[in-house]
Amino acid sequence: MARIPVLVKPTDIYITGTGNTPKIKNPETGEIATDRDTGEVLHTVTVMQMSDGRAEILKITVPESGVPAGLLPGVMVRPVDLIATPWARIFNGSLSDGVAYRVTRLELVQAPAMATPAAPVETASESAAAAKKVA
């Protein structure tokens, strides 16, 4: 199966849409998914990626050790070692396909400082009207 490294550009913005939830391996039994090599519990985090004026929703698999403390919806993150794996399967005679995303960890990112809006400028007529009300 092809594992394709995904470029995470410094100008891209990633914002969590959901917190972390354990990834379910089997919905019928409720079995939790684990990493084949390490046995570590896997989590699914929904992330909105904004790049070049477009937004994409990605469901990213993250090992439990790669989920940062304080991960909440609306938090900016940076995916580390983002990998895309195309997949396809036939289920009940229908073809399903997609792309699975996985990272080694998510890092919390400090949001850029927002410019403070300037205080409104009072015009001379507004100033005169306020002075008449006071008097």
Side-chain angles (χ1 to χ4, degrees), residues 18-24 42-46 59-62 67:
T18 62
N20 61 321
T21 56
K23 184 173 182 162
I24 304 297
L42 298 174
H43 291 255
T44 301
V45 180
T46 303
K59 284 193 174 190
I60 300 176
T61 299
V62 186
V67 177

Side-chain angles (χ1 to χ4, degrees), residues 15-82:
I15 299 175
T16 57
T18 62
N20 61 321
T21 56
K23 184 173 182 162
I24 304 297
K25 181 177 184 178
N26 184 342
E28 293 176 7
T29 64
E31 182 183 0
I32 304 295
T34 56
D35 185 277
R36 290 180 187 157
D37 297 329
T38 66
E40 189 172 5
V41 172
L42 298 174
H43 291 255
T44 301
V45 180
T46 303
V47 175
M48 181 173 52
Q49 174 200 25
M50 292 180 282
S51 178
D52 300 326
R54 296 179 305 160
E56 299 285 336
I57 302 294
L58 309 175
K59 284 193 174 190
I60 300 176
T61 299
V62 186
E64 191 166 40
S65 63
V67 177
L71 185 67
L72 299 169
V75 172
M76 290 181 65
V77 293
R78 184 173 80 66
V80 177
D81 300 328
L82 180 59

